[in-house]
Amino acid sequence: MRITEARVVVTCPGRNFVTLKIVTEDGVTGVGDATLNGRELAVAAYLDDHVVPLLAGRDASRIEDTWQYLYRGAYWRRGPVTMTAIAAVDTALWDIKGKVAGLPVYQLLGGRSREGVTVYGHANAEDVDGVLDEVAHYSGLGYRAVRVQTGVPGLASTYGVGGDRMFYEPADAAVPTENVWSTSRYLQHVPTVFRRVREEFGPRLRLLHDAHHRLTPIEAARLGSSLEPYDLTWIEDPVPAELQSGYRLIRQHTTTPVAVGEVFNSVWDCKQLIEEQLVDYIRATVVHAGGITHLRRIFDHAALHDVRSGSHGATDLSPVCMAAALQLDISIPNFGLQEYMRHTPETDAVFPHTYRYEGGYLHPSQEPGLGVDIDEERAAAFPYRPAQLPVNRLEDGTVHHW
Ligand code: KDG
Ligand code: MG
């Protein structure tokens, strides 16, 4: 079953998405997400210029061989652009394999390990009263887990607190907007938020928080210990992901669980964290970590060390990525949680899909393959619009992590 064509589609139904569509000689098609927020065109060019020309004539059934060919063969390994491009090819080939077999992809991965995929939503608001309303909203929708972010008193704007509650979108301008950051204000404020949330919602709702790489290890340790009374499921990305040994220090000071990995691209980025059990959840995702083939390798490695999955599922990961992530989530033994920031109706219309949400769970498609497609005609109505993620500065103007 030879590949005859591969097309890269860039579309902006509210936000930018890059999608690869592969077509075989029998007319079977497969889709893969290739979206890298704020750097979309770099992946589109990598695919168009360096990958698509290699695909025509290849056997679509050889997923592993194609992965190794694109990874080892290029000599230049890893990195977000390369691994996103490889992920798109890999995901599309799994989609094709499922369609040819007449099975949803999770059946090819070993079948179900659970009945549904537990998801968490994003409650965010400027202040504590606002965020309590948002948590109530998600709880009313049946969510069992909610990520809680608020503005910080004294700071004009903070990452993670968006204008639109359900469809929060951080990449909001062609030239990055700028936020101002103060770690001391933040560390004083966050425990007061979680105290109120626990008082209002009791002990059962699972609560999460994203620190977005903005702390040093000892600051993160302090945050973790100050949040222990509120029993968080995790603190996410407490320190910059490059600083792997920093996680050792956090571990020595707090029992609040830690999640990391949304910017990871390969097993090599998280090997030490997993093997030393420095984290509890790995949040790498299909689109940025080399596709279903490589993400399963990461999760298998994590399973050996009692580390669970917690996959990234923000709005900049398209429904194609979500459809693929759910196939893994339902099948792996060490599933933890899946992030679920809903897409807008415009995005859903461009990417028709049959995964569905019900009572706190997402359910993968039962259709052969991934159960998602791109409507190329609709996509063409939404041309690319430059948009970048914001930049964060300290109060004195120094550029800081975000
Ligand atoms: O593109 C970056 C976003 O996906 C990211 O900022 C969202 O931190 C995020 C999360 O946890 O979803
Ligand atoms: Mg995050």
Side-chain angles (χ1 to χ4, degrees):
M1 189 183 41
R2 300 281 150 196
I3 295 172
T4 48
E5 197 193 340
R7 300 192 285 275
V8 179
V9 182
V10 181
T11 180
C12 185
R15 69 145 4 270
N16 293 313
F17 294 107
V18 181
T19 309
L20 180 71
K21 189 160 206 170
I22 295 182
V23 186
T24 71
E25 58 192 344
D26 311 318
V28 182
T29 61
V31 284
D33 185 15
T35 308
L36 185 61
N37 203 359
R39 296 292 182 269
E40 294 87 0
L41 299 187
V43 184
Y46 188 107
L47 282 166
D48 269 331
D49 296 344
H50 306 294
V51 175
V52 166
L54 313 181
L55 294 178
R58 291 189 70 80
D59 181 348
S61 70
R62 293 179 63 168
I63 299 178
E64 181 68 44
D65 182 64
T66 302
W67 198 97
Q68 299 296 340
Y69 180 79
L70 295 174
Y71 181 80
R72 293 173 201 250
Y75 184 67
W76 306 107
R77 299 179 182 193
R78 309 195 277 155
V81 175
T82 297
M83 297 305 278
T84 301
I86 294 177
V89 176
D90 183 81
T91 307
L93 293 182
W94 276 103
D95 192 18
I96 289 170
K97 193 175 276 301
K99 287 179 180 170
V100 170
L103 293 170
V105 167
Y106 74 81
Q107 293 291 8
L108 306 177
L109 299 173
R112 273 176 193 281
S113 288
R114 57 197 51 80
E115 302 312 317
V117 171
T118 308
V119 297
Y120 70 91
H122 279 209
N124 68 84
E126 281 306 326
D127 56 24
V128 184
D129 289 333
V131 94
L132 292 177
D133 291 346
E134 287 304 302
V135 176
H137 178 58
Y138 279 98
S139 174
L141 290 170
Y143 282 72
R144 290 141 206 273
V146 183
R147 186 186 100 156
V148 177
Q149 311 289 134
T150 67
V152 176
L155 300 182
S157 59
T158 307
Y159 155 78
V161 180
D164 188 327
R165 298 278 174 255
M166 275 317 257
F167 310 114
Y168 172 63
E169 178 49 68
D172 56 3
V175 175
T177 52
E178 299 202 356
N179 293 324
V180 177
W181 179 250
S182 157
T183 297
S184 66
R185 290 178 196 271
Y186 167 78
L187 289 179
Q188 281 157 19
H189 180 60
V190 179
T192 68
V193 175
F194 280 92
R195 181 172 51 76
R196 291 277 309 278
V197 177
R198 273 286 173 235
E199 276 167 10
E200 187 93 6
F201 294 93
R204 300 308 311 157
L205 187 64
R206 297 176 71 180
L207 300 177
L208 302 82
H209 179 70
D210 192 347
H212 227 284
H213 312 115
R214 289 172 289 198
L215 307 176
T216 64
I218 200 68
E219 289 163 352
R222 191 171 139 212
L223 176 67
S225 86
S226 71
L227 293 177
E228 279 172 23
Y230 314 115
D231 188 21
L232 266 63
T233 293
W234 76 47
I235 296 179
E236 176 180 331
D237 291 340
V239 297
E242 301 93 303
L243 195 53
Q244 304 225 333
S245 51
Y247 284 83
R248 250 186 241 133
L249 193 140
I250 300 171
R251 272 296 203 233
Q252 285 158 8
H253 292 280
T254 180
T255 56
T256 296
V258 173
V260 68
E262 68 181 48
V263 301
F264 289 175
N265 311 121
S266 82
V267 71
W268 306 106
D269 295 330
C270 41
K271 188 172 171 292
Q272 179 193 355
L273 296 177
I274 290 171
E275 289 173 359
E276 293 186 34
Q277 294 178 307
L278 299 180
V279 297
D280 302 278
Y281 297 88
I282 280 292
R283 296 190 64 258
T285 188
V286 173
V287 57
H288 301 141
I292 291 174
T293 298
H294 195 69
L295 187 58
R296 187 175 57 166
R297 204 149 276 156
I298 293 175
F299 288 158
D300 281 347
H301 191 59
L304 299 180
H305 302 274
D306 269 342
V307 173
R308 283 178 281 173
S309 72
S311 294
H312 190 200
T315 44
D316 50 293
L317 286 57
S318 89
V320 175
C321 177
M322 181 57 83
L326 293 172
Q327 304 284 337
L328 268 172
D329 293 338
I330 203 81
S331 62
I332 58 172
N334 54 329
F335 171 74
L337 273 180
Q338 170 68 54
E339 182 180 23
Y340 178 42
M341 277 173 85
R342 289 155 187 265
H343 290 107
T344 61
E346 293 76 24
T347 298
D348 283 339
V350 168
F351 297 98
H353 55 264
T354 48
Y355 61 77
R356 64 189 172 83
Y357 172 84
E358 198 184 320
Y361 298 103
L362 273 171
H363 298 276
S365 168
Q366 296 303 310
E367 288 176 5
L370 298 175
V372 64
D373 205 347
I374 179 163
D375 179 335
E376 292 180 64
E377 231 174 81
R378 266 184 210 269
F382 300 105
Y384 170 77
R385 280 203 318 256
Q388 301 213 29
L389 292 164
V391 166
N392 206 20
R393 291 185 189 274
L394 300 180
E395 287 168 298
D396 70 357
T398 308
V399 174
H400 191 58
H401 313 287
W402 80 275

